[in-house]
Amino acid sequence: MSPAASVPVPAPVPALPPAAALRPADRADLPAVLALLADEDRVVDPATVVVTEAYERAFRAIDTDPRNELLVLADTDGTVVGCLQATYIPGLGKGGAERALLEAVRIRADRRGGGLGRVLMELAIDRARSRGCALVQLTSNKQRGAAHRFYAGLGFARSHDGFKLSL
């Protein structure tokens, strides 16, 4: 086998479905994003979500900070079917390059399995690359086995153990 044959070839990035667009979230998207985060195993009606002042403050902080992006994947009718938050972190590691931290990655429960998650992640990775980030990282709850397999399929490698301290 030649050396080139042993190098894995990344899977092609699926085209964004014509009925969906990735864009920065606006305030009107907040109930839909909170609905995605409320329960990843079922579809929550955004109309039932209570948007508290704490959520409003958090959204404003993300929206006005150039190192943060709340991104949504929306159908042409405006229905939010996916989201994630990207935070760009400056650091002295990796030659002083930024790293992108992806959090709150969700695809609506009834829309999974059709490639939207892959598209969402690949577009977020492309955004990080275009900013000059040297690394994209994320954490995921240890109980989310399907999500871990999904991230591994995108090329993410388990490299660290994470620790949290609730305050």
Side-chain angles (χ1 to χ4, degrees), residues 4 7 19 37 47 71 77-78 82 98 116 121 129 131 134 139 161:
V7 176
L37 299 176
L71 302 172
D77 69 359
E98 281 187 328
L116 290 174
M121 290 296 292
R129 188 177 290 116
R131 279 184 68 108
T139 60
D161 281 330

Side-chain angles (χ1 to χ4, degrees), residues 10 31 35 46 52 118 165:
T52 65
R118 176 174 282 279
L165 176 64

Side-chain angles (χ1 to χ4, degrees), residues 19-148:
L22 182 71
R23 60 174 173 75
D26 59 35
R27 169 53 188 86
D29 297 317
L30 188 53
V33 170
L34 294 174
L36 289 171
L37 299 176
D39 189 336
E40 69 181 283
D41 294 323
R42 66 181 180 87
V43 176
V44 174
D45 181 356
T48 66
V49 173
V50 176
V51 179
T52 65
E53 181 54 34
Y55 288 133
E56 294 281 3
R57 276 192 312 274
F59 177 80
R60 282 191 305 271
I62 294 165
D63 193 44
T64 59
D65 183 344
R67 293 201 179 277
N68 277 286
E69 292 186 301
L70 181 59
L71 302 172
V72 294
L73 194 62
D75 281 343
T76 55
D77 69 359
T79 301
V80 173
V81 295
C83 68
L84 64 76
Q85 180 178 343
T87 301
Y88 303 101
I89 306 167
L92 298 176
K94 300 284 185 189
E98 281 187 328
R99 66 185 60 216
L101 173 64
L102 304 184
E103 299 185 309
V105 178
R106 296 290 190 280
I107 294 294
R108 209 170 80 173
D110 65 343
R111 297 295 299 272
R112 290 193 198 123
L116 290 174
R118 176 174 282 279
V119 168
L120 176 65
M121 290 296 292
E122 291 290 351
L123 291 171
I125 291 165
D126 286 346
R127 289 173 83 90
R129 188 177 290 116
S130 72
R131 279 184 68 108
C133 291
L135 180 73
V136 176
Q137 63 189 35
L138 56 84
T139 60
S140 182
N141 187 300
K142 287 187 176 194
Q143 297 173 348
R144 298 182 72 218
H148 302 170

